[in-house]
Amino acid sequence: QVQLVESGGGLVQAGGSLRLSCAASGSIFSIKARGWYRQAPGKQRELVATITSGGSTNYGDSVKGRFTISRDNAKNTVYLQMNSLKPEDTAVYYCNARRLYDSFDYWGQGTQVTVSS
C-alpha cells in the first residue's frame, strides 16, 4: 500500500503562483511514476503532469510552459510548481502514484486550487 498526502492548495489571483506538495509513504519501491491530475466541477479528471522514477516528465497541453513537476527522492515527495495561473486552472488537484507491476493507481485526497479573475 501507498499513502499520499497533498498540501499547498488555496486561493490565488490570476497570474499568481502556487506550489503543491505530495508526500508518499508505504511501499514506495513499487511505484514507477508519480503525477498530478485535476478535476473541475462537471468535468472529467485530466492529466496535469507526471514524472517517472527515471525523471522523465510529461505535461497536459493546457499547462505546458506554466507548470513544473519535480521530485525529491530523499523525502518521497513530488511537487507541482504552478505559475501564471488562470481561472480555468481552478479544480481539485489529486496526487497520483502508479504501481510498477500492474499500473494500479493510488490517489491522494485532493487539494482545492481556486484562481480568481
Side-chain angles (χ1 to χ4, degrees), residues 3 10 14 25 47 49 53 56 61-62 67 85-86 93-94 96 98 108 111:
Q3 294 77 42
S25 60
L47 167 72
S53 55
S56 297
D61 288 341
S62 61
F67 291 11
L85 283 160
K86 305 175 182 180
Y93 284 69
Y94 294 93
N96 169 272
R98 180 157 293 173
T111 185

Side-chain angles (χ1 to χ4, degrees), residues 38 46-48 59-67 86 88-89:
R38 68 186 182 186
E46 65 173 357
L47 167 72
V48 177
Y59 294 92
D61 288 341
S62 61
V63 307
K64 285 180 181 177
R66 299 188 297 123
F67 291 11
K86 305 175 182 180
E88 50 264 44
D89 293 317

Side-chain angles (χ1 to χ4, degrees), residues 26-45:
S27 302
I28 306 300
F29 62 89
S30 68
I31 299 303
K32 67 176 178 181
R34 303 276 302 275
W36 292 93
Y37 292 73
R38 68 186 182 186
Q39 188 166 18
K43 295 187 177 181
Q44 289 189 331
R45 190 171 297 190

